Amino acid sequence: MPEIVLPEVELNIYSPKDPTEITVVENYVCTKESSPNFVRHVTFDVSGTKLEGRVRIGQSIGILPPGENEKGRPYKLRLYSVSSPTKGEGGKSNLISTTVKRTIEELDGKLYTGICSNYLADLKPGDKVKATGPSGKRFLLPENPEKFNYVFFATGTGIAPFRGMIMEMLEAGMESQIALVFGAAYRTDLIYPDYLMEAEKNNDNFHYIAKISREDRRPDGSKYYVQTAIEDESEILDPILSQENTLIYICGIKGMEAGIYKTLAKKGLNEYLVIKDDYAEMDPADWDWEDMKRNVKPSDRTFEEVY
């Protein structure tokens, strides 16, 4: 097992009290088909700012939406994962991208629209945005990424960092095994599917596994989720997960890690977890989510970014 050394990164070059201004250069829908969920790929030009060439894939940038809340205070900063490789979108160091889902929900009979997500989704090329960052120093590829294999688990816009990571590694000609497991409710909700399917077609070492929870059912009648891929796609994932130089990355909706951890433990893949003694004696099927928060943690080989 090679030593896992994460690169040193710069943090908070710009703060909420001292943001910079960046320019939108593109904003397009990045789902394959018409979907009830509006997910957009937004690219910013950071030329002339200290962000240029200093944001690494796995980090986030902050966006400060204009306006004030009901208390008359400025809206708070929102963080968005970078979806472009470290060298920049399209290889241009001045271009940084992110993935944004327009938030529209009905709560208690009232329509709620996400302040920052809708602000970003409405932007046009040429619009200016106040930004901060970069943020994050843990959810990164190692300094020597070619020494490891990778299994990425994502739901929703949690796919953002994996797009950039996959691009970065494949374009570098890395021969490591890379698997992306992406979970969505419907096929229409798949994000960046054209790129990912083409990447799988052109790279024998890259595996794209989509799990759709609200359409087909598994043979036992249960739903397909990202964690079920560990069992259902064993022909692909077992040879990767069994390698002592494989790393797991999890990004998406908070709570998704519980099912992944349970399934890893059921398969005896405990090297990706730190399990407290008493809990280690239990059947993983009996693990309770609230107790898991205290008794099951990711090991050094597992990285998570959930929200």
Side-chain angles (χ1 to χ4, degrees):
M1 176 67 178
E3 183 182 3
I4 303 171
V5 180
L6 298 181
E8 294 290 331
V9 292
E10 296 182 88
L11 298 172
N12 303 317
I13 299 171
Y14 294 103
S15 69
K17 292 183 178 180
D18 183 28
T20 188
E21 192 172 69
I22 58 180
T23 306
V24 177
V25 295
E26 63 178 356
N27 185 341
Y28 62 84
V29 173
C30 53
T31 48
K32 186 172 179 61
E33 304 173 39
S34 177
S35 169
N37 295 308
F38 302 97
V39 184
R40 306 187 73 87
H41 180 81
V42 185
T43 302
F44 304 98
D45 186 345
V46 298
S47 297
T49 77
K50 296 176 183 178
L51 293 176
E52 183 172 355
R54 298 167 77 178
V55 179
R56 185 175 287 270
I57 185 59
Q59 291 191 290
S60 301
I61 58 171
I63 301 297
L64 289 164
E68 299 176 339
N69 62 22
E70 64 278 2
K71 296 181 180 179
R73 298 173 183 169
Y75 287 124
K76 291 184 178 180
L77 170 82
R78 303 298 199 278
L79 292 176
Y80 291 89
S81 295
V82 170
S83 57
S84 46
T86 299
K87 64 182 180 181
E89 184 73 16
K92 299 179 180 180
S93 63
N94 63 306
L95 298 182
I96 295 176
S97 298
T98 189
T99 311
V100 180
K101 176 184 176 182
R102 186 189 291 275
T103 303
I104 304 174
E105 297 178 330
E106 183 179 345
L107 300 174
D108 299 325
K110 295 182 180 180
L111 189 65
Y112 168 79
T113 56
I115 299 299
C116 199
S117 66
N118 283 279
Y119 164 63
L120 285 176
D122 288 340
L123 292 173
K124 304 290 190 298
D127 288 343
K128 306 288 185 181
V129 175
K130 289 184 178 181
T132 69
S135 301
K137 62 180 181 179
R138 164 72 178 164
F139 201 77
L140 306 169
L141 293 175
E143 281 190 342
N144 51 345
E146 72 284 352
K147 298 292 185 182
F148 301 90
N149 301 305
Y150 303 87
V151 178
F152 299 140
F153 293 93
T155 57
T157 54
I159 199 172
F162 300 142
R163 174 188 184 265
M165 289 177 180
I166 291 164
M167 283 184 166
E168 191 161 299
M169 292 190 286
L170 294 182
E171 290 173 6
M174 281 178 43
E175 297 180 358
S176 304
Q177 291 293 310
I178 306 166
L180 169 66
V181 182
F182 180 65
Y186 301 99
R187 286 177 174 82
T188 54
D189 298 328
L190 295 176
I191 302 173
Y192 302 121
D194 290 341
Y195 165 72
L196 294 168
M197 288 188 288
E198 189 69 15
E200 182 180 46
K201 178 181 176 181
N202 295 330
N203 298 273
D204 291 339
N205 61 321
F206 174 61
H207 314 276
Y208 172 47
I209 301 169
K211 289 297 172 184
I212 311 300
S213 64
R214 297 186 184 177
E215 293 184 14
D216 299 331
R217 293 293 180 114
R218 301 171 73 207
D220 66 1
S222 61
K223 294 181 179 180
Y224 287 103
Y225 292 115
V226 286
Q227 66 267 23
T228 65
I230 300 171
E231 297 176 331
D232 299 339
E233 308 294 337
S234 58
E235 186 174 343
I236 296 173
L237 295 180
D238 278 0
I240 305 175
L241 290 168
S242 64
Q243 297 296 312
E244 63 179 16
N245 64 331
T246 294
L247 306 178
I248 286 177
Y249 288 70
I250 301 168
C251 189
I253 299 172
K254 190 173 182 63
M256 64 180 287
E257 69 273 28
I260 294 171
Y261 291 169
K262 280 187 177 185
T263 310
L264 288 171
K266 284 171 62 178
K267 295 264 296 188
L269 296 165
N270 291 349
E271 58 269 27
Y272 296 101
L273 307 170
V274 176
I275 307 172
K276 290 189 177 180
D277 293 340
D278 291 344
Y279 231 63
E281 302 301 320
M282 292 176 58
D283 183 337
D286 296 328
W287 286 0
D288 175 77
W289 173 225
E290 290 302 319
D291 287 338
M292 279 181 66
K293 294 177 184 178
R294 297 186 294 271
N295 293 292
V296 182
K297 302 292 183 182
S299 75
D300 291 341
R301 293 174 60 182
T302 300
F303 301 78
E304 65 175 48
E305 188 79 38
V306 294
Y307 45 83

mmCIF file of all heavy atoms in Angstrom, residues 75-110:
data_model
loop_
_atom_site.group_PDB
_atom_site.id
_atom_site.type_symbol
_atom_site.label_atom_id
_atom_site.label_comp_id
_atom_site.label_asym_id
_atom_site.label_seq_id
_atom_site.Cartn_x
_atom_site.Cartn_y
_atom_site.Cartn_z
ATOM 1 N N TYR A 75 -27.363 37.671 2.082
ATOM 2 C CA TYR A 75 -27.429 36.226 1.983
ATOM 3 C C TYR A 75 -26.055 35.614 2.263
ATOM 4 O O TYR A 75 -25.021 36.193 1.914
ATOM 5 C CB TYR A 75 -27.896 35.794 0.593
ATOM 6 C CG TYR A 75 -29.359 36.047 0.346
ATOM 7 C CD1 TYR A 75 -29.772 36.824 -0.746
ATOM 8 C CD2 TYR A 75 -30.329 35.513 1.181
ATOM 9 C CE1 TYR A 75 -31.120 37.038 -0.988
ATOM 10 C CE2 TYR A 75 -31.684 35.736 0.948
ATOM 11 C CZ TYR A 75 -32.064 36.503 -0.133
ATOM 12 O OH TYR A 75 -33.401 36.720 -0.357
ATOM 13 N N LYS A 76 -26.087 34.449 2.886
ATOM 14 C CA LYS A 76 -24.835 33.798 3.267
ATOM 15 C C LYS A 76 -24.166 33.124 2.071
ATOM 16 O O LYS A 76 -24.792 32.796 1.067
ATOM 17 C CB LYS A 76 -25.105 32.755 4.353
ATOM 18 C CG LYS A 76 -25.507 33.356 5.694
ATOM 19 C CD LYS A 76 -25.669 32.267 6.751
ATOM 20 C CE LYS A 76 -26.032 32.873 8.102
ATOM 21 N NZ LYS A 76 -26.196 31.823 9.152
ATOM 22 N N LEU A 77 -22.900 32.913 2.233
ATOM 23 C CA LEU A 77 -22.074 32.220 1.254
ATOM 24 C C LEU A 77 -22.574 30.798 1.023
ATOM 25 O O LEU A 77 -22.999 30.120 1.955
ATOM 26 C CB LEU A 77 -20.635 32.174 1.790
ATOM 27 C CG LEU A 77 -19.630 31.301 1.064
ATOM 28 C CD1 LEU A 77 -19.098 32.054 -0.143
ATOM 29 C CD2 LEU A 77 -18.471 30.945 1.996
ATOM 30 N N ARG A 78 -22.532 30.329 -0.219
ATOM 31 C CA ARG A 78 -22.809 28.934 -0.549
ATOM 32 C C ARG A 78 -21.574 28.354 -1.234
ATOM 33 O O ARG A 78 -20.972 29.007 -2.084
ATOM 34 C CB ARG A 78 -24.015 28.803 -1.493
ATOM 35 C CG ARG A 78 -25.304 29.416 -0.979
ATOM 36 C CD ARG A 78 -25.813 28.795 0.305
ATOM 37 N NE ARG A 78 -27.219 29.054 0.546
ATOM 38 C CZ ARG A 78 -27.718 30.160 1.075
ATOM 39 N NH1 ARG A 78 -26.901 31.148 1.403
ATOM 40 N NH2 ARG A 78 -29.015 30.291 1.285
ATOM 41 N N LEU A 79 -21.221 27.125 -0.858
ATOM 42 C CA LEU A 79 -20.059 26.469 -1.448
ATOM 43 C C LEU A 79 -20.488 25.538 -2.571
ATOM 44 O O LEU A 79 -21.483 24.826 -2.451
ATOM 45 C CB LEU A 79 -19.294 25.667 -0.386
ATOM 46 C CG LEU A 79 -18.579 26.468 0.702
ATOM 47 C CD1 LEU A 79 -17.947 25.518 1.717
ATOM 48 C CD2 LEU A 79 -17.524 27.389 0.111
ATOM 49 N N TYR A 80 -19.703 25.508 -3.643
ATOM 50 C CA TYR A 80 -19.969 24.642 -4.784
ATOM 51 C C TYR A 80 -18.687 23.923 -5.186
ATOM 52 O O TYR A 80 -17.647 24.553 -5.386
ATOM 53 C CB TYR A 80 -20.504 25.457 -5.971
ATOM 54 C CG TYR A 80 -21.894 25.991 -5.713
ATOM 55 C CD1 TYR A 80 -22.079 27.229 -5.092
ATOM 56 C CD2 TYR A 80 -23.019 25.248 -6.035
ATOM 57 C CE1 TYR A 80 -23.360 27.714 -4.827
ATOM 58 C CE2 TYR A 80 -24.298 25.722 -5.773
ATOM 59 C CZ TYR A 80 -24.463 26.956 -5.166
ATOM 60 O OH TYR A 80 -25.727 27.418 -4.894
ATOM 61 N N SER A 81 -18.785 22.603 -5.307
ATOM 62 C CA SER A 81 -17.622 21.813 -5.683
ATOM 63 C C SER A 81 -17.183 22.139 -7.101
ATOM 64 O O SER A 81 -18.006 22.306 -8.007
ATOM 65 C CB SER A 81 -17.942 20.311 -5.610
ATOM 66 O OG SER A 81 -18.221 19.919 -4.290
ATOM 67 N N VAL A 82 -15.885 22.212 -7.290
ATOM 68 C CA VAL A 82 -15.325 22.440 -8.615
ATOM 69 C C VAL A 82 -15.496 21.166 -9.446
ATOM 70 O O VAL A 82 -15.263 20.058 -8.958
ATOM 71 C CB VAL A 82 -13.832 22.814 -8.500
ATOM 72 C CG1 VAL A 82 -13.150 22.813 -9.855
ATOM 73 C CG2 VAL A 82 -13.689 24.177 -7.824
ATOM 74 N N SER A 83 -15.941 21.308 -10.686
ATOM 75 C CA SER A 83 -16.135 20.146 -11.562
ATOM 76 C C SER A 83 -15.151 20.132 -12.728
ATOM 77 O O SER A 83 -15.204 19.228 -13.566
ATOM 78 C CB SER A 83 -17.571 20.109 -12.099
ATOM 79 O OG SER A 83 -17.892 21.291 -12.792
ATOM 80 N N SER A 84 -14.260 21.099 -12.781
ATOM 81 C CA SER A 84 -13.232 21.136 -13.821
ATOM 82 C C SER A 84 -11.930 20.574 -13.266
ATOM 83 O O SER A 84 -11.679 20.635 -12.058
ATOM 84 C CB SER A 84 -13.014 22.575 -14.305
ATOM 85 O OG SER A 84 -12.910 23.460 -13.208
ATOM 86 N N PRO A 85 -11.061 19.995 -14.116
ATOM 87 C CA PRO A 85 -9.773 19.488 -13.644
ATOM 88 C C PRO A 85 -8.909 20.613 -13.060
ATOM 89 O O PRO A 85 -9.191 21.799 -13.273
ATOM 90 C CB PRO A 85 -9.133 18.910 -14.917
ATOM 91 C CG PRO A 85 -10.266 18.711 -15.871
ATOM 92 C CD PRO A 85 -11.264 19.770 -15.554
ATOM 93 N N THR A 86 -7.870 20.235 -12.368
ATOM 94 C CA THR A 86 -6.982 21.227 -11.749
ATOM 95 C C THR A 86 -6.419 22.202 -12.778
ATOM 96 O O THR A 86 -6.254 23.396 -12.492
ATOM 97 C CB THR A 86 -5.836 20.517 -11.010
ATOM 98 O OG1 THR A 86 -6.399 19.700 -9.972
ATOM 99 C CG2 THR A 86 -4.867 21.505 -10.398
ATOM 100 N N LYS A 87 -6.138 21.715 -13.972
ATOM 101 C CA LYS A 87 -5.566 22.602 -14.997
ATOM 102 C C LYS A 87 -6.609 23.518 -15.637
ATOM 103 O O LYS A 87 -6.277 24.353 -16.475
ATOM 104 C CB LYS A 87 -4.869 21.779 -16.079
ATOM 105 C CG LYS A 87 -5.773 20.882 -16.880
ATOM 106 C CD LYS A 87 -4.952 20.081 -17.893
ATOM 107 C CE LYS A 87 -5.830 19.159 -18.732
ATOM 108 N NZ LYS A 87 -5.023 18.376 -19.692
ATOM 109 N N GLY A 88 -7.887 23.356 -15.241
ATOM 110 C CA GLY A 88 -8.927 24.242 -15.721
ATOM 111 C C GLY A 88 -9.842 23.598 -16.745
ATOM 112 O O GLY A 88 -9.496 22.592 -17.364
ATOM 113 N N GLU A 89 -11.023 24.164 -16.915
ATOM 114 C CA GLU A 89 -11.978 23.659 -17.899
ATOM 115 C C GLU A 89 -11.377 23.765 -19.297
ATOM 116 O O GLU A 89 -10.887 24.819 -19.712
ATOM 117 C CB GLU A 89 -13.280 24.471 -17.819
ATOM 118 C CG GLU A 89 -14.390 23.982 -18.724
ATOM 119 C CD GLU A 89 -15.024 22.677 -18.249
ATOM 120 O OE1 GLU A 89 -14.830 22.294 -17.073
ATOM 121 O OE2 GLU A 89 -15.731 22.058 -19.051
ATOM 122 N N GLY A 90 -11.390 22.647 -20.003
ATOM 123 C CA GLY A 90 -10.815 22.627 -21.341
ATOM 124 C C GLY A 90 -9.325 22.874 -21.360
ATOM 125 O O GLY A 90 -8.769 23.256 -22.398
ATOM 126 N N GLY A 91 -8.661 22.650 -20.214
ATOM 127 C CA GLY A 91 -7.222 22.865 -20.144
ATOM 128 C C GLY A 91 -6.815 24.318 -19.982
ATOM 129 O O GLY A 91 -5.623 24.643 -20.040
ATOM 130 N N LYS A 92 -7.778 25.195 -19.745
ATOM 131 C CA LYS A 92 -7.486 26.623 -19.590
ATOM 132 C C LYS A 92 -7.511 26.994 -18.116
ATOM 133 O O LYS A 92 -8.543 26.888 -17.459
ATOM 134 C CB LYS A 92 -8.507 27.455 -20.375
ATOM 135 C CG LYS A 92 -8.479 27.170 -21.874
ATOM 136 C CD LYS A 92 -9.528 27.990 -22.610
ATOM 137 C CE LYS A 92 -9.487 27.700 -24.118
ATOM 138 N NZ LYS A 92 -10.513 28.485 -24.844
ATOM 139 N N SER A 93 -6.373 27.435 -17.586
ATOM 140 C CA SER A 93 -6.239 27.688 -16.148
ATOM 141 C C SER A 93 -7.133 28.811 -15.652
ATOM 142 O O SER A 93 -7.382 28.917 -14.446
ATOM 143 C CB SER A 93 -4.778 28.016 -15.801
ATOM 144 O OG SER A 93 -4.363 29.203 -16.454
ATOM 145 N N ASN A 94 -7.635 29.650 -16.549
ATOM 146 C CA ASN A 94 -8.494 30.764 -16.140
ATOM 147 C C ASN A 94 -9.963 30.382 -16.065
ATOM 148 O O ASN A 94 -10.805 31.200 -15.684
ATOM 149 C CB ASN A 94 -8.331 31.943 -17.094
ATOM 150 C CG ASN A 94 -8.779 31.611 -18.515
ATOM 151 O OD1 ASN A 94 -8.314 30.626 -19.094
ATOM 152 N ND2 ASN A 94 -9.661 32.411 -19.076
ATOM 153 N N LEU A 95 -10.289 29.119 -16.411
ATOM 154 C CA LEU A 95 -11.687 28.694 -16.420
ATOM 155 C C LEU A 95 -11.942 27.655 -15.338
ATOM 156 O O LEU A 95 -11.288 26.611 -15.295
ATOM 157 C CB LEU A 95 -12.075 28.122 -17.785
ATOM 158 C CG LEU A 95 -11.979 29.065 -18.979
ATOM 159 C CD1 LEU A 95 -12.444 28.364 -20.248
ATOM 160 C CD2 LEU A 95 -12.789 30.348 -18.755
ATOM 161 N N ILE A 96 -12.900 27.940 -14.463
ATOM 162 C CA ILE A 96 -13.292 27.034 -13.380
ATOM 163 C C ILE A 96 -14.782 26.749 -13.504
ATOM 164 O O ILE A 96 -15.582 27.673 -13.683
ATOM 165 C CB ILE A 96 -12.992 27.651 -11.996
ATOM 166 C CG1 ILE A 96 -11.482 27.820 -11.799
ATOM 167 C CG2 ILE A 96 -13.577 26.793 -10.878
ATOM 168 C CD1 ILE A 96 -11.120 28.513 -10.496
ATOM 169 N N SER A 97 -15.150 25.468 -13.397
ATOM 170 C CA SER A 97 -16.554 25.081 -13.542
ATOM 171 C C SER A 97 -17.124 24.511 -12.253
ATOM 172 O O SER A 97 -16.382 24.041 -11.386
ATOM 173 C CB SER A 97 -16.699 24.037 -14.653
ATOM 174 O OG SER A 97 -16.286 24.559 -15.885
ATOM 175 N N THR A 98 -18.434 24.526 -12.173
ATOM 176 C CA THR A 98 -19.143 23.861 -11.082
ATOM 177 C C THR A 98 -20.445 23.295 -11.635
ATOM 178 O O THR A 98 -20.819 23.545 -12.782
ATOM 179 C CB THR A 98 -19.404 24.803 -9.905
ATOM 180 O OG1 THR A 98 -19.911 24.052 -8.793
ATOM 181 C CG2 THR A 98 -20.411 25.883 -10.257
ATOM 182 N N THR A 99 -21.129 22.494 -10.812
ATOM 183 C CA THR A 99 -22.380 21.846 -11.216
ATOM 184 C C THR A 99 -23.475 22.283 -10.250
ATOM 185 O O THR A 99 -23.330 22.116 -9.037
ATOM 186 C CB THR A 99 -22.220 20.311 -11.183
ATOM 187 O OG1 THR A 99 -21.029 19.949 -11.873
ATOM 188 C CG2 THR A 99 -23.407 19.630 -11.826
ATOM 189 N N VAL A 100 -24.550 22.829 -10.770
ATOM 190 C CA VAL A 100 -25.580 23.458 -9.940
ATOM 191 C C VAL A 100 -26.953 22.849 -10.225
ATOM 192 O O VAL A 100 -27.365 22.754 -11.379
ATOM 193 C CB VAL A 100 -25.648 24.973 -10.206
ATOM 194 C CG1 VAL A 100 -26.727 25.618 -9.339
ATOM 195 C CG2 VAL A 100 -24.299 25.631 -9.967
ATOM 196 N N LYS A 101 -27.640 22.458 -9.176
ATOM 197 C CA LYS A 101 -29.022 22.006 -9.316
ATOM 198 C C LYS A 101 -29.956 23.106 -8.829
ATOM 199 O O LYS A 101 -29.846 23.585 -7.696
ATOM 200 C CB LYS A 101 -29.269 20.731 -8.494
ATOM 201 C CG LYS A 101 -30.725 20.266 -8.537
ATOM 202 C CD LYS A 101 -30.967 19.059 -7.639
ATOM 203 C CE LYS A 101 -32.438 18.682 -7.621
ATOM 204 N NZ LYS A 101 -32.725 17.552 -6.717
ATOM 205 N N ARG A 102 -30.854 23.508 -9.699
ATOM 206 C CA ARG A 102 -31.847 24.523 -9.321
ATOM 207 C C ARG A 102 -32.775 23.905 -8.274
ATOM 208 O O ARG A 102 -33.405 22.875 -8.521
ATOM 209 C CB ARG A 102 -32.643 24.953 -10.539
ATOM 210 C CG ARG A 102 -33.593 26.102 -10.274
ATOM 211 C CD ARG A 102 -34.506 26.333 -11.457
ATOM 212 N NE ARG A 102 -33.823 26.856 -12.631
ATOM 213 C CZ ARG A 102 -33.581 28.154 -12.847
ATOM 214 N NH1 ARG A 102 -33.948 29.044 -11.945
ATOM 215 N NH2 ARG A 102 -32.974 28.548 -13.950
ATOM 216 N N THR A 103 -32.853 24.531 -7.102
ATOM 217 C CA THR A 103 -33.655 23.998 -6.003
ATOM 218 C C THR A 103 -35.054 24.606 -6.011
ATOM 219 O O THR A 103 -35.216 25.813 -5.874
ATOM 220 C CB THR A 103 -32.983 24.279 -4.642
ATOM 221 O OG1 THR A 103 -31.669 23.726 -4.645
ATOM 222 C CG2 THR A 103 -33.782 23.652 -3.512
ATOM 223 N N ILE A 104 -36.059 23.758 -6.214
ATOM 224 C CA ILE A 104 -37.462 24.169 -6.156
ATOM 225 C C ILE A 104 -38.213 23.113 -5.354
ATOM 226 O O ILE A 104 -38.304 21.963 -5.774
ATOM 227 C CB ILE A 104 -38.084 24.302 -7.559
ATOM 228 C CG1 ILE A 104 -37.272 25.277 -8.417
ATOM 229 C CG2 ILE A 104 -39.539 24.747 -7.459
ATOM 230 C CD1 ILE A 104 -37.740 25.359 -9.848
ATOM 231 N N GLU A 105 -38.710 23.476 -4.183
ATOM 232 C CA GLU A 105 -39.391 22.521 -3.316
ATOM 233 C C GLU A 105 -40.648 23.146 -2.725
ATOM 234 O O GLU A 105 -40.720 24.369 -2.532
ATOM 235 C CB GLU A 105 -38.470 22.072 -2.174
ATOM 236 C CG GLU A 105 -37.223 21.332 -2.625
ATOM 237 C CD GLU A 105 -36.334 20.968 -1.454
ATOM 238 O OE1 GLU A 105 -36.336 21.702 -0.445
ATOM 239 O OE2 GLU A 105 -35.641 19.946 -1.554
ATOM 240 N N GLU A 106 -41.612 22.283 -2.427
ATOM 241 C CA GLU A 106 -42.807 22.734 -1.719
ATOM 242 C C GLU A 106 -42.732 22.238 -0.282
ATOM 243 O O GLU A 106 -42.651 21.034 -0.032
ATOM 244 C CB GLU A 106 -44.085 22.213 -2.389
ATOM 245 C CG GLU A 106 -45.347 22.741 -1.717
ATOM 246 C CD GLU A 106 -46.617 22.250 -2.395
ATOM 247 O OE1 GLU A 106 -46.523 21.756 -3.529
ATOM 248 O OE2 GLU A 106 -47.685 22.370 -1.782
ATOM 249 N N LEU A 107 -42.736 23.170 0.655
ATOM 250 C CA LEU A 107 -42.660 22.831 2.069
ATOM 251 C C LEU A 107 -43.829 23.482 2.801
ATOM 252 O O LEU A 107 -44.000 24.706 2.746
ATOM 253 C CB LEU A 107 -41.335 23.323 2.675
ATOM 254 C CG LEU A 107 -40.054 22.746 2.055
ATOM 255 C CD1 LEU A 107 -38.828 23.431 2.649
ATOM 256 C CD2 LEU A 107 -39.977 21.249 2.297
ATOM 257 N N ASP A 108 -44.646 22.644 3.459
ATOM 258 C CA ASP A 108 -45.802 23.150 4.209
ATOM 259 C C ASP A 108 -46.698 24.037 3.348
ATOM 260 O O ASP A 108 -47.197 25.088 3.794
ATOM 261 C CB ASP A 108 -45.333 23.928 5.455
ATOM 262 C CG ASP A 108 -44.547 23.053 6.404
ATOM 263 O OD1 ASP A 108 -44.888 21.861 6.518
ATOM 264 O OD2 ASP A 108 -43.587 23.557 7.026
ATOM 265 N N GLY A 109 -46.887 23.633 2.102
ATOM 266 C CA GLY A 109 -47.786 24.363 1.221
ATOM 267 C C GLY A 109 -47.190 25.604 0.597
ATOM 268 O O GLY A 109 -47.863 26.318 -0.153
ATOM 269 N N LYS A 110 -45.920 25.883 0.877
ATOM 270 C CA LYS A 110 -45.260 27.059 0.309
ATOM 271 C C LYS A 110 -44.148 26.616 -0.627
ATOM 272 O O LYS A 110 -43.464 25.642 -0.369
ATOM 273 C CB LYS A 110 -44.695 27.951 1.414
ATOM 274 C CG LYS A 110 -45.759 28.578 2.312
ATOM 275 C CD LYS A 110 -45.127 29.491 3.346
ATOM 276 C CE LYS A 110 -46.172 30.130 4.246
ATOM 277 N NZ LYS A 110 -45.564 31.019 5.266
#
